[in-house]
Amino acid sequence: MEYQVAEKFVSINGEGTKAGQPAVFIRFRGCNLSCSYCDTTWANGENAPAETMTETEILDYLLEQGIRNVTLTGGEPLNRAGMRELLELLANREELRVEIETNGSVDLAPFRLPKALHPPVFTVDYKLAGSGMTAGMFLENFRKLEPADTVKFVTGSRQDLEQAYGIMQKYELIGKCHLYFSPVFGKIRPEEIVDFMLEKKLNGVNLQLQLHKYIWAPDRRGV
C-alpha cells in the first residue's frame, strides 16, 4: 500500500496529553472538511504536494528517529486507504506509541485495535460553529470513546464555548475521556476560556495552548 505524505518531521507535541514531549509527526494529504481557521490548508487538497511512501518506509522512518511518540495527522488521516493496515503495523511495535488526530467526521470503530501490543489512541476534534463544519461531525463517536482518548474543542468565541459545554453535558464526556479547550490562535484570549471554565466549574476539563505556535513562528511548518 502507498500513502501520500504531505510532510514528516520530529518536534514536540504542541497539545494534548503528551504536550511538551518529543514526537514524530506524519501528516497525510487530503481532508474532507474546510474549517475556517485551518492552519494546514496547503496539505488538504487531493493534488497538494506529497511524498509517496509505503507502510514499510513509514515504519523505517519512525524507527530511525528513536522517538517513541508518533502522531498521525492531516488533513484527515482516517480517510486514507490502507490506514487500518498501517495502524496494525505501527501499533504492534514495542518502540512506538501511536496517536491519531482526526477531525471528528469519521467513524473510529474500524480503526480500534484492542488486541494490538499498544492500541492507538484518538484525539477527536468536535467542530464548533465557528469552524463552519459542525454538520460534518460523526456524533456516534462520542458513545465509543475510551479513557485514553481525547476530545478537543477548538474555540474562537463565547458561542463556541457554550456549544462545547452543551456537547460535554449531552454526551456525558466529563470523566469519560480527556477533554481540552484549544483557542483559535489570535481569535480569542485564553483568559476568556479560563473564565468560562471557572464559571461552569469544569472539573476534569483542560485548557491547552498550541506550544509550537509560541516556541516558533505561528505559521512555521515542520514543527
Side-chain angles (χ1 to χ4, degrees):
M1 181 67 67
E2 293 183 336
Y3 304 82
Q4 299 304 312
V5 176
E7 65 173 349
K8 60 185 190 296
F9 59 94
V10 179
S11 184
I12 61 165
N13 268 308
E15 49 193 329
T17 61
K18 296 179 179 178
Q21 296 184 23
V24 189
F25 292 81
I26 303 290
R27 183 181 305 283
F28 295 93
R29 181 176 71 183
C31 189
N32 58 318
L33 300 182
S34 182
C35 297
S36 63
Y37 48 72
C38 181
D39 55 6
T40 59
T41 55
W42 57 270
N44 290 348
E46 289 298 329
N47 295 317
E51 174 184 3
T52 300
M53 300 181 71
T54 66
E55 58 262 70
T56 301
E57 289 171 335
I58 290 173
L59 175 62
D60 288 346
Y61 170 77
L62 295 174
L63 296 177
E64 287 169 4
Q65 310 315 308
I67 300 295
R68 181 176 64 181
N69 296 327
V70 173
T71 298
L72 306 182
T73 187
E76 176 44 61
L78 298 184
N79 272 342
R80 304 305 103 198
M83 188 53 60
R84 181 180 171 90
E85 291 77 8
L86 178 61
L87 289 175
E88 288 174 342
L89 178 65
L90 303 185
N92 283 294
R93 297 294 305 212
E94 174 58 40
E95 307 95 324
L96 305 177
R97 304 292 185 275
V98 178
E99 172 189 7
I100 301 98
E101 292 187 343
T102 175
N103 65 19
S105 69
V106 181
D107 186 358
L108 303 182
F111 305 97
R112 292 286 187 193
L113 303 175
K115 296 182 180 180
L117 183 62
H118 299 290
V121 298
F122 296 85
T123 293
V124 182
D125 269 18
Y126 181 82
K127 303 302 184 185
L128 299 163
S131 73
M133 292 287 114
T134 302
M137 296 297 92
F138 187 80
L139 298 176
E140 280 300 305
N141 280 336
F142 288 139
R143 308 188 193 281
K144 305 171 184 178
L145 294 168
E146 298 181 358
D149 295 329
T150 295
V151 177
K152 178 175 69 173
F153 296 94
V154 180
T155 60
S157 66
R158 173 77 188 206
Q159 179 188 6
D160 282 349
L161 291 168
E162 292 284 2
Q163 185 183 4
Y165 179 65
I167 290 292
M168 292 179 191
Q169 298 294 106
K170 180 177 180 179
Y171 292 96
E172 300 180 334
L173 297 182
I174 297 176
K176 185 174 187 177
C177 62
H178 304 287
L179 297 173
Y180 288 87
F181 283 122
S182 185
V184 178
F185 191 82
K187 185 79 172 179
I188 187 173
R189 293 181 296 113
E191 53 262 43
E192 293 180 55
I193 301 177
V194 173
D195 289 344
F196 182 85
M197 294 170 65
L198 297 178
E199 173 191 328
K200 300 296 186 182
K201 298 179 174 55
L202 290 179
N203 298 303
V205 180
N206 304 276
L207 168 68
Q208 69 177 11
L209 304 178
Q210 293 175 294
L211 294 179
H212 52 288
K213 292 189 177 181
Y214 290 87
I215 298 171
W216 297 283
D219 58 351
R220 180 172 173 179
R221 298 185 191 177
V223 295

